[in-house]
Amino acid sequence: FCIVPKQKLEMAAVNGSKPKIALLTAGGLAPCLSSAVGFLIEKYTLIDASIEIICYKSGYKGLLLGDSISVTPAVREQATALQLHGGSPIGNSRVKLTNVDDCIKRGLVQEGQIPLEIAAQQLQKDGVTVLHTIGGDDTNTQAAQVAKYLNEHNYNITVVGLPKTIDNDVYPIKQSLGAWTAAEEGAKFFFNLVNEMSANPRMLIIHECMGRDCGYLTAATAQAYTQMISALPFVPGLEFFKQKKCIHALYIPEIPIDIDAEAIRLENIMDKYDCVNIFLSEGAGVKDIVKKMEANGEEVPRDAFGHVKLDKVNPGAYFAKQFAEKVRADKVLVQKSGYMARSAAANAADRALIERCCQLAVQCGLQNNPGCIGEDEDQNDTLRAIEFPRIKGHKPFNIEQTWFKDLQTQIYSIQ
């Protein structure tokens, strides 16, 4: 990528327009936040160590409250250490700027204030000219709204986002940051968990993966796990068959589930191998669960964005209840890998993608080219600053991909 030369920055400083950079991470965690913060600091410092950088603490919460940290020379020198860590070194929060009541309730703004305006005014007060948002579709589209407000009020700011989501469900981005790592970590989780099938006769294990509306993470985790056990030796003479550690069912939001038909198939597997292992996307079956709750007059818990709180609805427990009796399980174990998967440090594949995206993000920031950095599926997967109006969430997983069809064949061929 072409890097803006230092001479050009110095010329801009003479004209009184030297850039000031702000970073924030927002939404849920993903294995890319710490890495992205580190790379952004490094890339700007390589161009000009005098470029001022601040980090808003805890995402949009910090922006609304004017709570930020300055990136010092010592931080610049230590930035590479952030590649070794998961989570976010500057903190996250789930704040929706257009949800005024929630912002007031949480003490982020006062009665009568508009969060979008408060955020914009804080950026102006801090003298920020380039804002990098590292988050999902909500994080980046909110930032674009803030920039639009400022531009309409004669204050120019360039917003350059980075797409963070382990669900890999952002239009039109081919691969969101952190999703590869999350799948790998989820596979490691189940690699150990599956041994619980030997702890009790007729064991039903449900591995619940994150994925509200998209089955990508569950499918990718299943593929990574299947590859992990593919070369493992087994001892059939002890009735220790590979099939005991295989995945016996994979349920994602994109594919309807016939529980009765599946129960018959899985009961046969239970009878033969004394265990059943299910990979479940947390969003699978949620619509049915919500309908039942509403029909019973129960309140459906939702977050500031209006999303159903999946930890309260508990899809894993729902499916455990549906299948346990039907497959005659003696014991049921429901375990979630989500927090382990999303809080990991980025793996080598993700770090390579994150660095490419950060390199371009810095270039776009200095050239006043706004957008969300990603491989644009509508433009031959070209890495570019994708226009914010085109950024949308809830992209479904493409179940027609060859690798997924092969995975399904492998799972459902177990007899």
Side-chain angles (χ1 to χ4, degrees), residues 281-293:
S281 172
E282 63 180 357
V286 165
K287 292 180 180 178
D288 291 335
I289 299 172
V290 169
K291 283 181 182 179
K292 288 184 179 181
M293 290 180 69

Side-chain angles (χ1 to χ4, degrees), residues 30-33 35 39 82-86 175-186 188 216 224 341 343-355:
C32 64
L33 300 172
S35 176
F39 276 132
L82 296 177
Q83 301 302 326
L84 304 176
H85 295 276
Q175 186 70 31
S176 60
L177 308 183
W180 282 326
T181 304
E184 181 181 273
E185 294 297 323
K188 291 178 184 177
Y216 166 84
S343 59
N347 66 12
D350 261 317
R351 284 198 306 274
L353 178 60
I354 294 164
E355 184 172 17

Side-chain angles (χ1 to χ4, degrees), residues 68-104:
S68 64
I69 305 171
S70 293
V71 175
T72 64
V75 171
R76 294 172 194 266
E77 290 179 6
Q78 299 162 351
T80 187
L82 296 177
Q83 301 302 326
L84 304 176
H85 295 276
S88 170
I90 57 178
N92 274 31
S93 64
R94 290 187 180 274
V95 175
K96 187 168 187 176
L97 297 178
T98 54
N99 191 335
V100 179
D101 291 340
D102 184 66
C103 288
I104 293 173

Side-chain angles (χ1 to χ4, degrees), residues 17 106-107 156 163 190 200 293 315 325 395 407:
S17 58
R106 295 164 68 172
N156 293 323
F190 194 72
N200 207 79
M293 290 180 69
E325 185 176 348
K395 180 178 74 173
L407 177 65

Side-chain angles (χ1 to χ4, degrees), residues 4 35 60 87 93-94 104 109 168 212 254 256 303 316 368 388:
V4 179
S35 176
Y60 284 112
S93 64
R94 290 187 180 274
I104 293 173
V109 297
N168 198 31
R212 179 180 299 277
E254 291 82 359
D303 63 18
N368 302 318
F388 281 116

